[in-house]
Coordinates of all heavy atoms in Angstrom, one line a residue:
D1 N -6.2 7.1 -9.7 CA -7.3 6.4 -9.3 C -8.0 7.1 -8.1 O -9.2 7.3 -8.0 CB -6.8 5.0 -9.0 CG -8.0 4.0 -8.6 OD1 -8.9 3.8 -9.4 OD2 -7.9 3.3 -7.5
A2 N -7.2 7.4 -7.1 CA -7.8 8.0 -5.9 C -7.4 9.4 -5.7 O -7.6 10.0 -4.7 CB -7.4 7.2 -4.6
G3 N -6.7 9.9 -6.8 CA -6.3 11.3 -6.7 C -4.9 11.5 -6.1 O -4.6 12.6 -5.6
F4 N -4.1 10.5 -6.0 CA -2.8 10.7 -5.4 C -1.9 11.5 -6.3 O -2.0 11.4 -7.5 CB -2.1 9.3 -5.1 CG -2.7 8.6 -4.0 CD1 -3.6 7.5 -4.2 CD2 -2.5 9.0 -2.6 CE1 -4.2 6.8 -3.1 CE2 -3.0 8.3 -1.6 CZ -3.9 7.2 -1.8
N5 N -0.9 12.2 -5.7 CA 0.1 13.0 -6.5 C 1.2 12.0 -6.9 O 1.9 11.5 -6.0 CB 0.6 14.1 -5.6 CG 1.7 14.9 -6.2 OD1 2.1 14.6 -7.3 ND2 2.1 15.9 -5.5
P6 N 1.4 11.8 -8.2 CA 2.5 10.9 -8.6 C 4.0 11.4 -8.2 O 4.8 10.6 -8.2 CB 2.4 10.8 -10.1 CG 1.6 12.0 -10.5 CD 0.8 12.4 -9.3
D7 N 4.1 12.6 -7.8 CA 5.4 13.1 -7.4 C 5.6 12.9 -5.9 O 6.7 13.2 -5.4 CB 5.5 14.6 -7.7 CG 5.4 14.8 -9.2 OD1 6.0 14.0 -10.0 OD2 4.9 15.8 -9.7
D8 N 4.6 12.5 -5.2 CA 4.8 12.3 -3.7 C 4.2 10.9 -3.4 O 3.0 10.8 -3.1 CB 4.1 13.3 -2.9 CG 4.3 13.2 -1.4 OD1 5.0 12.2 -1.0 OD2 3.9 14.1 -0.7
V9 N 5.0 9.9 -3.4 CA 4.6 8.5 -3.2 C 4.4 8.2 -1.7 O 4.0 7.0 -1.4 CB 5.5 7.4 -3.9 CG1 5.6 7.7 -5.4 CG2 6.9 7.5 -3.2
T10 N 4.5 9.1 -0.8 CA 4.3 8.9 0.6 C 3.2 9.7 1.2 O 3.0 9.6 2.4 CB 5.6 9.1 1.4 OG1 6.0 10.5 1.2 CG2 6.7 8.2 0.9
E11 N 2.5 10.5 0.4 CA 1.5 11.4 1.0 C 0.3 10.6 1.5 O 0.0 9.5 1.0 CB 1.0 12.4 -0.1 CG 0.0 11.8 -1.1 CD -0.6 12.8 -2.0 OE1 -0.9 13.9 -1.6 OE2 -0.9 12.4 -3.2
F12 N -0.4 11.1 2.5 CA -1.6 10.6 3.1 C -2.7 11.1 2.2 O -2.8 12.3 1.9 CB -1.8 10.9 4.5 CG -1.1 10.0 5.5 CD1 0.0 10.4 6.2 CD2 -1.6 8.7 5.7 CE1 0.6 9.6 7.1 CE2 -1.1 7.9 6.6 CZ 0.1 8.3 7.3
K13 N -3.8 10.3 2.1 CA -5.0 10.7 1.3 C -6.2 10.2 2.1 O -6.2 9.0 2.4 CB -5.0 10.2 -0.1 CG -6.1 10.7 -0.9 CD -5.8 12.1 -1.4 CE -6.9 12.4 -2.5 NZ -6.6 13.7 -3.1
S14 N -7.1 11.0 2.4 CA -8.3 10.5 3.1 C -9.3 10.1 2.0 O -9.6 10.8 1.1 CB -9.0 11.7 3.9 OG -8.2 12.0 5.0
I15 N -9.8 8.9 2.3 CA -10.7 8.3 1.3 C -11.9 7.7 2.2 O -11.7 6.7 2.9 CB -10.1 7.2 0.5 CG1 -9.0 7.7 -0.3 CG2 -11.2 6.5 -0.4 CD1 -8.1 6.7 -1.0
G16 N -13.0 8.4 2.2 CA -14.1 8.1 3.1 C -13.6 8.3 4.5 O -13.1 9.3 4.9
R17 N -13.8 7.2 5.3 CA -13.4 7.3 6.8 C -12.0 6.9 7.0 O -11.4 7.0 8.1 CB -14.3 6.4 7.6 CG -15.7 6.8 7.6 CD -16.5 5.8 8.4 NE -16.0 4.5 8.2 CZ -16.7 3.4 8.3 NH1 -18.0 3.5 8.7 NH2 -16.2 2.2 8.1
D18 N -11.2 6.5 6.0 CA -9.9 6.0 6.1 C -8.9 6.9 5.5 O -9.2 7.7 4.6 CB -9.8 4.6 5.4 CG -10.7 3.6 5.9 OD1 -10.7 3.4 7.1 OD2 -11.5 2.9 5.1
A19 N -7.7 6.8 6.0 CA -6.5 7.5 5.4 C -5.5 6.5 4.9 O -5.1 5.6 5.7 CB -5.9 8.4 6.5
F20 N -5.0 6.7 3.7 CA -4.0 5.8 3.2 C -2.8 6.5 2.6 O -3.0 7.6 2.1 CB -4.6 5.0 2.0 CG -5.7 4.0 2.4 CD1 -7.0 4.3 2.3 CD2 -5.4 2.7 2.7 CE1 -8.0 3.5 2.6 CE2 -6.4 1.8 3.0 CZ -7.7 2.2 2.9
R21 N -1.7 5.9 2.6 CA -0.6 6.3 1.7 C -0.9 5.5 0.4 O -1.6 4.5 0.4 CB 0.7 5.9 2.3 CG 1.1 6.6 3.5 CD 2.5 6.3 3.9 NE 2.9 6.8 5.2 CZ 3.3 8.0 5.5 NH1 3.4 8.9 4.5 NH2 3.6 8.4 6.7
P22 N -0.3 5.9 -0.7 CA -0.6 5.2 -2.0 C -0.3 3.7 -1.9 O -1.2 3.0 -2.4 CB 0.4 5.9 -2.9 CG 0.5 7.3 -2.4 CD 0.6 7.1 -0.9
M23 N 0.7 3.3 -1.3 CA 1.0 1.8 -1.2 C -0.1 1.1 -0.6 O -0.5 0.0 -1.0 CB 2.3 1.6 -0.6 CG 2.8 0.1 -0.7 SD 3.2 -0.5 -2.3 CE 4.8 0.2 -2.6
G24 N -0.6 1.6 0.5 CA -1.6 0.9 1.3 C -2.9 1.0 0.5 O -3.7 -0.1 0.5
Y25 N -3.2 2.0 -0.2 CA -4.5 2.1 -0.9 C -4.4 1.1 -2.1 O -5.4 0.4 -2.2 CB -4.6 3.6 -1.5 CG -5.8 3.6 -2.4 CD1 -7.1 3.7 -1.9 CD2 -5.6 3.6 -3.8 CE1 -8.2 3.8 -2.7 CE2 -6.8 3.7 -4.6 CZ -8.0 3.8 -4.1 OH -9.1 3.9 -4.9
F26 N -3.3 1.0 -2.8 CA -3.3 0.1 -3.9 C -3.2 -1.4 -3.5 O -3.6 -2.3 -4.2 CB -2.3 0.5 -4.9 CG -2.7 1.8 -5.7 CD1 -2.1 3.0 -5.4 CD2 -3.7 1.7 -6.6 CE1 -2.5 4.1 -6.1 CE2 -4.2 2.9 -7.3 CZ -3.5 4.1 -7.0
A27 N -2.6 -1.6 -2.3 CA -2.7 -2.9 -1.7 C -4.1 -3.3 -1.4 O -4.5 -4.5 -1.7 CB -1.8 -3.0 -0.4
W28 N -4.8 -2.4 -0.8 CA -6.2 -2.6 -0.5 C -7.0 -3.0 -1.8 O -7.9 -3.8 -1.8 CB -6.8 -1.4 0.2 CG -8.3 -1.4 0.5 CD1 -8.9 -2.2 1.2 CD2 -9.2 -0.5 -0.1 NE1 -10.3 -1.9 1.2 CE2 -10.5 -0.8 0.4 CE3 -9.1 0.7 -0.9 CZ2 -11.6 -0.1 0.1 CZ3 -10.3 1.4 -1.2 CH2 -11.5 1.0 -0.7
K29 N -6.7 -2.3 -2.9 CA -7.4 -2.5 -4.1 C -6.9 -3.8 -4.9 O -7.5 -4.2 -5.8 CB -7.2 -1.3 -5.0 CG -7.7 0.0 -4.6 CD -9.2 0.1 -4.7 CE -9.6 0.5 -6.1 NZ -11.1 0.6 -6.3
G30 N -5.7 -4.3 -4.4 CA -5.1 -5.4 -5.1 C -4.4 -5.0 -6.4 O -4.3 -5.9 -7.3
D31 N -4.0 -3.8 -6.6 CA -3.4 -3.3 -7.8 C -1.9 -3.4 -7.8 O -1.2 -2.5 -7.5 CB -3.9 -1.8 -8.0 CG -3.5 -1.3 -9.4 OD1 -2.6 -1.9 -10.1 OD2 -4.1 -0.3 -9.8
L32 N -1.4 -4.7 -8.1 CA 0.0 -5.0 -8.0 C 0.8 -4.2 -9.0 O 1.9 -3.7 -8.6 CB 0.2 -6.5 -8.2 CG 1.5 -7.0 -7.7 CD1 2.0 -6.5 -6.4 CD2 1.5 -8.5 -7.7
P33 N 0.4 -4.0 -10.2 CA 1.2 -3.2 -11.2 C 1.4 -1.7 -10.6 O 2.5 -1.2 -10.7 CB 0.3 -3.1 -12.4 CG -0.4 -4.4 -12.4 CD -0.8 -4.6 -11.0
M34 N 0.4 -1.2 -10.0 CA 0.6 0.2 -9.4 C 1.5 0.1 -8.2 O 2.3 1.0 -8.0 CB -0.8 0.8 -9.1 CG -0.7 2.2 -8.7 SD -0.2 3.2 -10.1 CE 0.1 4.8 -9.3
M35 N 1.4 -0.9 -7.4 CA 2.3 -1.1 -6.3 C 3.8 -1.2 -6.7 O 4.7 -0.6 -6.2 CB 1.9 -2.3 -5.4 CG 0.6 -2.1 -4.7 SD 0.0 -3.5 -3.9 CE 1.3 -3.8 -2.7
R36 N 4.0 -1.9 -7.8 CA 5.4 -2.0 -8.4 C 5.9 -0.7 -8.8 O 7.0 -0.4 -8.6 CB 5.4 -3.0 -9.5 CG 5.2 -4.5 -9.1 CD 5.3 -5.4 -10.3 NE 5.2 -6.8 -9.9 CZ 4.2 -7.6 -10.3 NH1 3.2 -7.1 -11.2 NH2 4.1 -8.8 -9.9
W37 N 5.0 0.1 -9.4 CA 5.4 1.4 -9.9 C 5.8 2.3 -8.7 O 6.8 2.9 -8.7 CB 4.3 2.0 -10.7 CG 4.7 3.4 -11.2 CD1 5.3 3.6 -12.4 CD2 4.6 4.7 -10.6 NE1 5.6 5.0 -12.6 CE2 5.1 5.6 -11.5 CE3 4.0 5.1 -9.4 CZ2 5.1 7.0 -11.2 CZ3 4.0 6.4 -9.1 CH2 4.6 7.4 -10.0
L38 N 5.0 2.3 -7.7 CA 5.2 3.0 -6.5 C 6.6 2.6 -5.8 O 7.4 3.5 -5.5 CB 4.1 2.9 -5.5 CG 2.8 3.5 -5.8 CD1 1.7 3.0 -4.9 CD2 2.9 5.0 -5.7
Y39 N 6.8 1.3 -5.8 CA 8.0 0.8 -5.2 C 9.3 1.3 -5.9 O 10.2 1.7 -5.3 CB 8.0 -0.7 -5.1 CG 9.1 -1.4 -4.4 CD1 9.1 -1.4 -3.0 CD2 10.1 -2.1 -5.1 CE1 10.2 -2.0 -2.3 CE2 11.2 -2.7 -4.5 CZ 11.2 -2.6 -3.1 OH 12.2 -3.2 -2.4
V40 N 9.2 1.1 -7.2 CA 10.4 1.6 -8.1 C 10.6 3.1 -7.9 O 11.7 3.5 -8.0 CB 10.1 1.2 -9.5 CG1 11.1 1.9 -10.5 CG2 10.2 -0.3 -9.7
N41 N 9.6 3.8 -7.6 CA 9.7 5.3 -7.5 C 9.8 5.7 -6.0 O 9.6 6.9 -5.7 CB 8.5 5.9 -8.1 CG 8.6 5.9 -9.6 OD1 9.3 6.6 -10.2 ND2 7.9 4.9 -10.2
G42 N 10.1 4.8 -5.1 CA 10.6 5.2 -3.8 C 9.6 4.9 -2.6 O 9.9 5.2 -1.5
A43 N 8.4 4.4 -2.9 CA 7.4 4.0 -1.8 C 8.0 2.8 -1.1 O 8.5 1.8 -1.7 CB 6.1 3.9 -2.4
G44 N 7.8 2.8 0.2 CA 8.1 1.6 1.0 C 7.0 0.6 1.1 O 5.9 1.0 0.9
T45 N 7.3 -0.6 1.5 CA 6.3 -1.6 1.7 C 5.8 -1.7 3.2 O 4.9 -2.4 3.5 CB 6.8 -3.0 1.3 OG1 8.0 -3.3 2.0 CG2 7.2 -3.0 -0.2
R46 N 6.4 -1.0 4.0 CA 6.0 -0.9 5.5 C 5.5 0.5 5.7 O 5.9 1.5 5.0 CB 7.2 -1.0 6.4 CG 7.8 -2.4 6.3 CD 9.1 -2.5 7.3 NE 9.6 -3.8 7.2 CZ 9.7 -4.5 8.3 NH1 9.2 -4.1 9.5 NH2 10.2 -5.7 8.2
D47 N 4.7 0.7 6.7 CA 4.2 2.0 7.1 C 4.3 2.1 8.6 O 3.3 1.6 9.3 CB 2.8 2.3 6.6 CG 2.5 3.8 6.6 OD1 3.1 4.5 7.4 OD2 1.7 4.2 5.8
E48 N 5.4 2.5 9.1 CA 5.7 2.5 10.5 C 4.7 3.4 11.3 O 4.5 3.2 12.5 CB 7.1 2.8 10.9 CG 8.1 1.9 10.1 CD 8.0 0.5 10.5 OE1 7.5 0.1 11.6 OE2 8.4 -0.4 9.7
E49 N 4.2 4.4 10.6 CA 3.3 5.4 11.3 C 1.9 4.8 11.6 O 1.2 5.3 12.5 CB 3.2 6.7 10.5 CG 4.5 7.4 10.4 CD 4.3 8.7 9.5 OE1 3.2 9.3 9.5 OE2 5.3 9.0 8.9
L50 N 1.5 3.9 10.8 CA 0.2 3.3 11.0 C 0.2 2.0 11.7 O 1.1 1.2 11.5 CB -0.5 3.1 9.6 CG -0.7 4.3 8.8 CD1 -1.3 3.9 7.4 CD2 -1.7 5.3 9.5
T51 N -0.6 1.8 12.7 CA -0.6 0.5 13.5 C -1.4 -0.5 12.9 O -1.1 -1.7 13.0 CB -1.0 0.8 14.9 OG1 -2.3 1.4 14.9 CG2 0.0 1.7 15.7
S52 N -2.5 -0.1 12.2 CA -3.4 -1.2 11.7 C -3.5 -1.2 10.2 O -3.8 -2.2 9.6 CB -4.7 -1.1 12.4 OG -5.3 0.1 12.0
E53 N -3.4 -0.1 9.5 CA -3.7 0.0 8.1 C -2.4 0.1 7.3 O -2.3 0.9 6.4 CB -4.6 1.2 7.8 CG -6.0 1.0 8.5 CD -7.0 2.1 8.2 OE1 -6.7 3.0 7.4 OE2 -8.0 2.0 8.9
S54 N -1.5 -0.8 7.5 CA -0.3 -0.9 6.7 C -0.6 -1.5 5.4 O -1.7 -2.1 5.2 CB 0.8 -1.8 7.4 OG 0.3 -3.1 7.5
P55 N 0.3 -1.4 4.4 CA -0.1 -2.1 3.1 C -0.4 -3.7 3.3 O -1.2 -4.1 2.7 CB 1.2 -1.9 2.3 CG 1.8 -0.6 2.8 CD 1.5 -0.7 4.3
M56 N 0.4 -4.3 4.2 CA 0.1 -5.7 4.5 C -1.3 -5.9 5.1 O -2.0 -6.8 4.6 CB 1.2 -6.3 5.3 CG 1.0 -7.8 5.6 SD 1.2 -8.8 4.2 CE 3.0 -9.0 4.1
W57 N -1.6 -5.1 6.0 CA -2.9 -5.2 6.6 C -4.0 -5.0 5.6 O -5.0 -5.7 5.5 CB -3.1 -4.2 7.7 CG -4.4 -4.2 8.4 CD1 -4.8 -4.9 9.5 CD2 -5.5 -3.4 8.1 NE1 -6.1 -4.7 9.8 CE2 -6.6 -3.7 8.9 CE3 -5.8 -2.5 7.0 CZ2 -7.8 -3.1 8.9 CZ3 -7.1 -1.9 7.0 CH2 -8.1 -2.2 7.9
A58 N -3.8 -4.0 4.7 CA -4.8 -3.6 3.7 C -5.0 -4.8 2.7 O -6.1 -5.2 2.3 CB -4.4 -2.3 3.0
A59 N -3.9 -5.4 2.3 CA -3.9 -6.5 1.3 C -4.6 -7.7 2.0 O -5.4 -8.4 1.4 CB -2.6 -6.8 0.8
A60 N -4.1 -8.1 3.2 CA -4.6 -9.3 3.9 C -6.1 -9.2 4.2 O -6.8 -10.2 3.9 CB -3.8 -9.5 5.1
T61 N -6.5 -8.1 4.6 CA -8.0 -7.9 5.0 C -8.9 -7.9 3.8 O -10.1 -8.1 3.9 CB -8.2 -6.8 6.0 OG1 -7.8 -5.6 5.3 CG2 -7.5 -6.9 7.3
S62 N -8.3 -7.6 2.6 CA -9.0 -7.5 1.4 C -9.0 -8.8 0.6 O -9.5 -8.9 -0.5 CB -8.6 -6.3 0.5 OG -8.7 -5.2 1.2
G63 N -8.2 -9.8 1.1 CA -8.1 -11.1 0.5 C -7.1 -11.2 -0.7 O -7.3 -12.0 -1.6
H64 N -6.1 -10.3 -0.8 CA -5.2 -10.2 -1.9 C -3.9 -11.0 -1.6 O -2.9 -10.4 -1.3 CB -4.9 -8.8 -2.3 CG -6.1 -8.0 -2.8 ND1 -6.9 -8.4 -3.8 CD2 -6.7 -6.9 -2.2 CE1 -7.9 -7.5 -4.0 NE2 -7.8 -6.7 -3.0
L65 N -4.0 -12.3 -1.6 CA -2.9 -13.2 -1.3 C -1.6 -12.8 -2.2 O -0.5 -12.8 -1.6 CB -3.2 -14.7 -1.4 CG -2.1 -15.7 -1.0 CD1 -1.7 -15.4 0.4 CD2 -2.6 -17.0 -1.2
E66 N -1.8 -12.7 -3.5 CA -0.7 -12.4 -4.4 C 0.1 -11.1 -3.9 O 1.3 -11.0 -3.9 CB -1.1 -12.3 -5.8 CG 0.0 -12.0 -6.8 CD -0.5 -11.9 -8.2 OE1 -1.6 -12.2 -8.5 OE2 0.4 -11.6 -9.1
V67 N -0.7 -10.1 -3.5 CA -0.1 -8.8 -3.1 C 0.6 -9.1 -1.8 O 1.7 -8.5 -1.6 CB -1.3 -7.8 -2.9 CG1 -0.7 -6.5 -2.2 CG2 -1.8 -7.4 -4.3
C68 N 0.0 -9.8 -0.8 CA 0.7 -10.1 0.4 C 2.1 -10.8 0.2 O 3.1 -10.4 0.8 CB -0.2 -11.0 1.3 SG -1.6 -10.3 1.9
K69 N 2.1 -11.8 -0.8 CA 3.4 -12.4 -1.1 C 4.4 -11.4 -1.6 O 5.6 -11.5 -1.3 CB 3.1 -13.6 -2.0 CG 2.4 -14.8 -1.4 CD 2.1 -15.8 -2.5 CE 1.4 -17.0 -1.9 NZ 1.1 -18.0 -3.0
W70 N 4.0 -10.5 -2.5 CA 4.8 -9.6 -3.1 C 5.3 -8.6 -2.0 O 6.6 -8.3 -2.0 CB 4.1 -8.8 -4.1 CG 4.9 -7.8 -4.9 CD1 5.7 -8.0 -5.9 CD2 5.1 -6.4 -4.5 NE1 6.4 -6.9 -6.3 CE2 6.1 -5.9 -5.4 CE3 4.6 -5.6 -3.5 CZ2 6.5 -4.5 -5.3 CZ3 5.0 -4.3 -3.4 CH2 6.0 -3.7 -4.4
L71 N 4.5 -8.2 -1.1 CA 4.9 -7.4 0.0 C 6.0 -8.0 0.8 O 7.0 -7.4 1.2 CB 3.7 -6.9 0.8 CG 2.8 -5.9 0.2 CD1 1.5 -5.8 0.9 CD2 3.5 -4.5 0.2
V72 N 5.8 -9.3 1.2 CA 6.8 -10.0 2.0 C 8.1 -10.1 1.3 O 9.2 -9.8 1.8 CB 6.3 -11.4 2.4 CG1 7.4 -12.3 2.9 CG2 5.1 -11.3 3.3
D73 N 8.0 -10.4 -0.1 CA 9.3 -10.4 -0.9 C 10.0 -9.1 -0.9 O 11.1 -9.1 -1.3 CB 8.9 -11.0 -2.3 CG 8.5 -12.4 -2.3 OD1 8.7 -13.1 -1.3 OD2 7.9 -12.8 -3.3
H74 N 9.3 -8.0 -0.7 CA 9.9 -6.7 -0.8 C 10.0 -6.0 0.5 O 10.0 -4.8 0.6 CB 9.0 -5.8 -1.8 CG 9.2 -6.4 -3.2 ND1 8.5 -7.4 -3.7 CD2 10.1 -6.0 -4.2 CE1 8.9 -7.7 -4.9 NE2 9.9 -6.9 -5.2
G75 N 10.0 -6.8 1.6 CA 10.4 -6.2 3.0 C 9.3 -5.8 3.9 O 9.6 -5.3 5.0
A76 N 8.1 -6.2 3.6 CA 7.0 -5.8 4.5 C 7.0 -6.6 5.7 O 7.5 -7.8 5.7 CB 5.6 -5.9 3.8
A77 N 6.5 -6.2 6.8 CA 6.4 -6.9 8.0 C 5.4 -8.1 7.8 O 4.3 -7.9 7.2 CB 5.9 -6.0 9.1
E78 N 5.7 -9.2 8.3 CA 4.9 -10.4 8.2 C 4.0 -10.5 9.4 O 3.1 -11.4 9.4 CB 5.8 -11.6 8.0 CG 6.6 -11.6 6.8 CD 7.6 -12.8 6.7 OE1 7.1 -13.8 7.1 OE2 8.7 -12.6 6.3
D79 N 4.2 -9.8 10.5 CA 3.4 -10.0 11.7 C 2.4 -9.0 11.9 O 2.4 -8.2 12.8 CB 4.4 -10.0 12.9 CG 5.2 -8.7 13.0 OD1 5.2 -8.0 12.0 OD2 5.7 -8.4 14.1
I80 N 1.4 -9.0 11.0 CA 0.3 -8.1 11.1 C -0.7 -8.5 12.1 O -0.9 -9.6 12.5 CB -0.4 -7.8 9.7 CG1 -1.0 -9.2 9.2 CG2 0.6 -7.2 8.8 CD1 -2.0 -9.0 8.0

């Protein structure tokens, strides 16, 4: 979708003015099936290196409540 390498589920990718890891990007898009695939293949639900654009932040600011719930159920920080 955004040109992420499927062999590196933690790489950063610049998209426009933003930089995302795959989990954050697909949280922003609301693509829960892809997030599940990433999680099964080793991607985390937290992004300690980013202060504002974590997967939870991306999902919440994009209005993806179902994604937010899934992230919480899979260990994401709730205090965005």
Side-chain angles (χ1 to χ4, degrees):
D1 187 53
F4 287 106
N5 177 355
D7 295 324
D8 186 357
V9 296
T10 62
E11 75 172 328
F12 274 107
K13 184 80 169 184
S14 292
I15 301 168
R17 298 179 319 207
D18 300 311
F20 292 94
R21 291 189 193 272
M23 186 67 79
Y25 175 78
F26 289 106
W28 173 64
K29 299 283 279 184
D31 190 338
L32 197 48
M34 189 65 188
M35 292 173 64
R36 287 183 179 118
W37 183 88
L38 289 166
Y39 185 76
V40 167
N41 286 282
T45 57
R46 295 176 177 244
D47 198 334
E48 304 299 335
E49 293 178 32
L50 298 176
T51 56
S52 63
E53 295 180 8
S54 67
M56 180 65 81
W57 179 90
T61 59
S62 299
H64 299 297
L65 182 58
E66 182 180 354
V67 170
C68 291
K69 289 177 182 179
W70 183 87
L71 285 165
V72 168
D73 290 346
H74 291 84
E78 298 175 38
D79 59 342
I80 58 166

